[in-house]
Coordinates of all heavy atoms in Angstrom, one line a residue:
F1496 N -37.7 -22.4 32.1 CA -36.7 -22.0 33.1 C -35.4 -22.9 33.0 O -34.3 -22.3 33.1 CB -37.3 -22.2 34.5 CG -36.5 -21.8 35.6 CD1 -36.5 -20.5 36.1 CD2 -35.6 -22.6 36.3 CE1 -35.7 -20.0 37.1 CE2 -34.7 -22.2 37.3 CZ -34.8 -20.9 37.7
V1499 N -33.4 -21.8 29.8 CA -32.8 -20.5 30.0 C -31.6 -20.6 31.0 O -30.5 -20.0 30.8 CB -33.8 -19.5 30.4 CG1 -33.1 -18.1 30.7 CG2 -34.8 -19.2 29.3
S1576 N -23.3 -14.8 39.5 CA -24.2 -13.9 40.2 C -24.8 -12.9 39.2 O -26.1 -12.7 39.3 CB -23.4 -13.1 41.3 OG -22.9 -14.0 42.2
V1577 N -24.0 -12.3 38.3 CA -24.6 -11.4 37.4 C -25.6 -12.0 36.4 O -26.7 -11.5 36.2 CB -23.4 -10.8 36.5 CG1 -23.9 -9.9 35.4 CG2 -22.5 -9.9 37.4
L1578 N -25.2 -13.2 35.9 CA -26.1 -13.9 35.0 C -27.4 -14.3 35.7 O -28.5 -14.3 35.1 CB -25.4 -15.2 34.5 CG -24.3 -15.0 33.5 CD1 -23.6 -16.3 33.2 CD2 -24.8 -14.3 32.3
G1579 N -27.4 -14.6 37.0 CA -28.6 -15.0 37.8 C -29.6 -13.9 37.8 O -30.8 -14.1 37.6
F1580 N -29.1 -12.7 38.1 CA -30.0 -11.5 38.2 C -30.5 -11.2 36.8 O -31.7 -10.8 36.7 CB -29.3 -10.3 38.8 CG -29.1 -10.4 40.3 CD1 -27.9 -10.7 40.9 CD2 -30.2 -10.2 41.1 CE1 -27.7 -10.8 42.3 CE2 -30.1 -10.4 42.5 CZ -28.8 -10.6 43.1
L1581 N -29.7 -11.3 35.8 CA -30.2 -11.0 34.4 C -31.3 -12.0 34.0 O -32.3 -11.6 33.4 CB -29.0 -11.1 33.4 CG -28.0 -9.9 33.5 CD1 -26.8 -10.2 32.6 CD2 -28.7 -8.6 33.2
Q1582 N -31.1 -13.3 34.4 CA -32.1 -14.3 34.0 C -33.4 -14.0 34.7 O -34.5 -14.1 34.1 CB -31.6 -15.7 34.4 CG -32.6 -16.8 34.1 CD -32.2 -18.2 34.5 OE1 -31.0 -18.4 34.6 NE2 -33.1 -19.0 34.8
A1583 N -33.3 -13.7 36.0 CA -34.6 -13.4 36.8 C -35.3 -12.2 36.1 O -36.5 -12.3 36.0 CB -34.2 -13.1 38.2
A1584 N -34.6 -11.2 35.8 CA -35.2 -10.0 35.2 C -35.9 -10.3 33.9 O -37.0 -9.9 33.6 CB -34.2 -8.9 35.1
F1585 N -35.2 -11.1 33.1 CA -35.7 -11.5 31.7 C -36.9 -12.3 31.8 O -37.9 -12.0 31.1 CB -34.6 -12.2 31.0 CG -35.1 -12.9 29.7 CD1 -35.4 -12.1 28.6 CD2 -35.2 -14.3 29.6 CE1 -35.8 -12.7 27.4 CE2 -35.7 -14.9 28.5 CZ -36.0 -14.1 27.4
L1586 N -36.9 -13.3 32.7 CA -38.1 -14.2 32.7 C -39.3 -13.6 33.4 O -40.5 -13.8 33.0 CB -37.7 -15.5 33.5 CG -36.8 -16.5 32.7 CD1 -36.5 -17.7 33.5 CD2 -37.4 -16.9 31.4
I1587 N -39.1 -12.7 34.4 CA -40.2 -12.1 35.1 C -40.8 -11.1 34.1 O -42.1 -11.0 34.0 CB -39.7 -11.4 36.4 CG1 -39.3 -12.5 37.4 CG2 -40.8 -10.5 37.0 CD1 -38.7 -11.9 38.7
A1588 N -40.0 -10.3 33.5 CA -40.6 -9.3 32.6 C -41.1 -9.8 31.3 O -42.1 -9.3 30.7 CB -39.5 -8.2 32.2
G1589 N -40.5 -10.9 30.8 CA -41.0 -11.5 29.5 C -41.7 -12.8 29.6 O -41.7 -13.6 28.6
A1590 N -42.3 -13.1 30.8 CA -43.0 -14.4 30.9 C -44.0 -14.7 29.9 O -44.1 -15.7 29.3 CB -43.6 -14.5 32.3
L1613 N -43.8 -19.6 36.5 CA -42.6 -19.2 35.9 C -42.0 -17.9 36.6 O -40.8 -17.8 36.9 CB -42.8 -18.9 34.4 CG -41.5 -18.4 33.6 CD1 -40.4 -19.4 33.8 CD2 -41.9 -18.2 32.2
K1614 N -42.9 -16.9 36.9 CA -42.5 -15.7 37.5 C -42.0 -15.9 38.9 O -40.9 -15.4 39.3 CB -43.6 -14.7 37.5 CG -44.0 -14.1 36.2 CD -45.0 -13.0 36.3 CE -45.3 -12.3 35.0 NZ -46.3 -11.2 35.1
R1616 N -40.9 -18.8 40.2 CA -39.6 -19.6 40.2 C -38.4 -18.8 39.7 O -37.3 -19.1 40.2 CB -39.8 -20.9 39.3 CG -38.6 -21.8 39.4 CD -39.0 -23.2 39.0 NE -37.8 -24.1 38.9 CZ -37.8 -25.3 38.6 NH1 -38.9 -26.0 38.4 NH2 -36.7 -26.0 38.6
S1617 N -38.7 -17.8 38.9 CA -37.6 -17.0 38.4 C -36.9 -16.2 39.5 O -35.7 -15.8 39.4 CB -38.1 -16.1 37.3 OG -38.5 -16.8 36.2
L1618 N -37.6 -16.0 40.6 CA -37.0 -15.3 41.7 C -35.8 -16.1 42.3 O -35.0 -15.5 43.0 CB -38.1 -15.0 42.8 CG -39.2 -14.1 42.5 CD1 -40.3 -14.1 43.6 CD2 -38.7 -12.7 42.2
G1619 N -35.8 -17.3 42.1 CA -34.7 -18.2 42.6 C -33.5 -18.3 41.6 O -32.5 -18.9 41.9
A1620 N -33.6 -17.6 40.4 CA -32.6 -17.7 39.4 C -31.2 -17.3 39.9 O -30.2 -18.0 39.7 CB -32.9 -16.9 38.2
P1621 N -31.0 -16.2 40.7 CA -29.7 -15.9 41.2 C -29.1 -17.0 42.1 O -27.9 -17.3 42.0 CB -30.0 -14.6 42.0 CG -31.2 -14.0 41.4 CD -32.0 -15.2 41.0
A1622 N -29.9 -17.6 42.9 CA -29.4 -18.7 43.7 C -29.1 -19.9 42.9 O -28.1 -20.6 43.2 CB -30.5 -19.1 44.8
L1624 N -28.1 -20.1 39.7 CA -26.8 -19.9 38.9 C -25.6 -19.8 39.8 O -24.5 -20.3 39.4 CB -27.0 -18.7 38.0 CG -27.6 -19.0 36.6 CD1 -29.0 -19.3 36.7 CD2 -27.4 -17.8 35.6
Y1680 N -32.1 -21.3 47.5 CA -31.4 -20.4 48.3 C -30.7 -21.1 49.4 O -29.5 -20.8 49.8 CB -32.2 -19.2 48.8 CG -32.4 -18.1 47.8 CD1 -33.6 -18.1 47.0 CD2 -31.4 -17.2 47.6 CE1 -33.7 -17.0 46.1 CE2 -31.6 -16.2 46.7 CZ -32.7 -16.1 45.9 OH -32.8 -15.1 44.9

Side-chain angles (χ1 to χ4, degrees):
F1496 185 88
V1499 173
S1576 300
V1577 172
L1578 290 176
F1580 284 107
L1581 290 176
Q1582 179 184 335
F1585 168 73
L1586 289 179
I1587 292 172
L1613 182 57
K1614 286 185 176 182
R1616 184 158 174 178
S1617 296
L1618 294 174
L1624 271 70
Y1680 277 98

